[in-house]
Amino acid sequence: MESRICKLLNIEYPIFQGAMAWIAEHNLVAAVSNAGGLGILAAGNAPTEVVREEIKKTKRLTSKPFGVNIMLLSPYAEDIAHMVCEEKVAVITTGAGNPGKYLEMWKEQGIKVIPVVPSVALAMRMERAGVDAVIAEGCEAGGHVGELTTMSLLPQVVDAVNIPVIAAGGIGDGRGIAATKMLGADAFQIGTRFLVAKECIVHRNYKEKVLKAKDIDTRVTGKITGHPVRTLKNKLTRKFIQLEREGASTEQLEELGKGTLQKAVIEGDVMNGSVMAGQISGMVNKEQTCKEIIIEMVKESTSLLSGLK
Ligand code: TUI
């Protein structure tokens, strides 16, 4: 599993843990980094000092590199962008926007910067602006998604840039890693499978819902608001879809979505909460430690790839 990403970030395996808001906190992140992957703290919509504390707690649990993901729609994004410099984090990933205005500051601090890009155009802009790598995330992923699938987006981004490309969206086992490696990926980001990791603190009901999910159980809502989100179907998605059909306003839909991720993750209300998860939920059916997940995926993919002669 040699990869230029491993050298760049000083990690053993080219496996990133997707930064899931409210979920990717210090326990999960440290477990992934200690297992040789790259754990990534999700800042989500959390206030700056909460994220700073999470960074400190993670540092106490691991001496390995880990990242912080800044969700650029957060009201605290700007503040967190400065805080991560003070805390000297090794890697920053970004989502849900263009991090252009922070790049100079982060690069001056020697931080490795890896934005999520949902298009070739943004990938090229980011390369020109000096980022270290990009994450090409297809809409099979859970949470906020772009238009293109991993199968279509990834090879087009790989052709357009010279920096390393991390594949994300729809990777659930070693076959997904082998397949996206064939499409040109240098590393692989996995979110949904880590939801059911033993070290993952998400509510038990959330884990059960992912474990029970079938292939066709995710829905994308919020296309109208400009922020489409993939979740497992439930009472909330039915309400969303009905309101969208009735031509509800962006404000009404945003109001309905407020606080719903916390409701599912912390309170375990998986009927009225937002159960963000990717399309591979249907193949997640066992609970393992982060180390077991990583080792199993590495073994499966290397075996598949070594069979290609
Ligand atoms: O960011 C994610 N996944 C997320 S963020 C999130 S919290 C949230 N909740 C409700 C609404 C919105 C966010 C839950 N899941 N993945 C990475 C990602 N980034 N997906 C799509 C994008 C993206 C979209 C547009 C990245 C850049 C971008 O640029 C637009 C521009 O300004 O050029």
Side-chain angles (χ1 to χ4, degrees):
M1 285 229 105
E2 257 174 49
S3 160
R4 51 185 171 157
I5 276 287
C6 292
K7 281 200 192 90
L8 179 74
L9 304 181
N10 196 22
I11 55 177
E12 194 176 348
Y13 303 116
I15 293 186
F16 290 17
Q17 156 256 310
M20 301 166 284
W22 287 99
I23 298 171
E25 48 69 83
H26 59 279
N27 292 296
L28 183 65
V29 172
V32 170
S33 285
N34 283 332
L38 185 76
I40 305 177
L41 277 173
N45 277 313
T48 310
E49 291 313 309
V50 172
V51 182
R52 194 197 296 274
E53 270 314 300
E54 282 298 317
I55 294 172
K56 289 189 167 146
K57 284 178 183 164
T58 310
K59 282 180 184 163
R60 278 181 222 132
L61 295 177
T62 184
S63 55
K64 302 269 178 74
F66 65 91
V68 175
N69 173 269
I70 304 181
M71 207 279 282
L72 294 166
L73 291 170
S74 163
Y76 305 102
E78 173 107 33
D79 212 29
I80 293 173
H82 288 93
M83 180 273 288
V84 288
C85 295
E86 294 162 19
E87 295 301 324
K88 303 196 187 318
V89 302
V91 184
I92 293 173
T93 67
T94 63
N98 181 343
K101 63 177 175 178
Y102 307 120
L103 291 180
E104 204 181 305
M105 171 175 76
W106 290 336
K107 292 317 296 170
E108 256 174 35
Q109 300 289 323
I111 299 172
K112 301 284 186 274
V113 182
I114 314 183
V116 168
V117 294
S119 67
V120 166
L122 191 59
M124 290 171 74
R125 271 173 75 185
M126 291 292 97
E127 178 178 49
R128 276 200 304 275
V131 304
D132 297 276
V134 289
I135 302 171
E137 184 180 284
C139 60
E140 299 93 322
H144 178 42
V145 289
E147 275 293 323
L148 297 176
T149 59
T150 300
M151 185 82 149
S152 310
L153 175 67
L154 177 60
Q156 296 188 68
V157 170
V158 166
D159 284 348
V161 299
N162 291 310
I163 50 178
V165 180
I166 295 94
I171 305 177
D173 64 14
R175 291 171 299 178
I177 290 182
T180 48
K181 175 120 185 134
M182 288 293 101
L183 296 174
D186 294 279
F188 317 92
Q189 178 161 285
I190 284 95
T192 303
R193 188 153 170 195
F194 283 119
L195 280 172
V196 302
K198 291 197 174 144
E199 297 91 341
C200 181
I201 54 83
V202 75
H203 197 284
R204 184 77 225 154
N205 298 350
Y206 202 122
K207 289 192 180 187
E208 293 291 342
K209 195 155 171 76
V210 173
L211 288 163
K212 285 187 192 131
K214 297 190 300 293
D215 54 348
I216 55 171
D217 286 349
T218 72
R219 295 288 180 274
V220 175
T221 57
K223 281 198 176 133
I224 297 161
T225 66
H227 301 127
V229 171
R230 183 180 300 284
T231 58
L232 288 173
K233 67 171 185 186
N234 61 5
K235 202 166 153 192
L236 178 68
T237 57
R238 280 196 294 278
K239 235 188 228 171
F240 251 112
I241 291 163
Q242 191 190 342
L243 273 178
E244 285 173 356
R245 274 203 201 112
E246 290 167 359
S249 67
T250 299
E251 291 76 36
Q252 269 175 303
L253 292 166
E254 274 173 359
E255 195 54 39
L256 180 63
K258 251 188 210 150
T260 52
L261 182 59
Q262 181 184 6
K263 203 180 260 184
V265 173
I266 309 294
E267 295 167 31
D269 184 352
V270 294
M271 290 294 289
N272 304 295
S274 178
V275 187
M276 295 186 184
Q279 287 185 327
I280 59 93
S281 292
M283 57 197 248
V284 174
N285 40 37
K286 62 179 183 228
E287 295 177 66
Q288 295 167 297
T289 64
C290 291
K291 188 167 186 168
E292 285 165 351
I293 293 172
I294 290 173
I295 299 296
E296 189 175 294
M297 292 182 98
V298 168
K299 271 193 187 152
E300 276 172 10
S301 57
T302 42
S303 149
L304 285 167
L305 293 164
S306 68
L308 295 170
K309 289 266 155 59

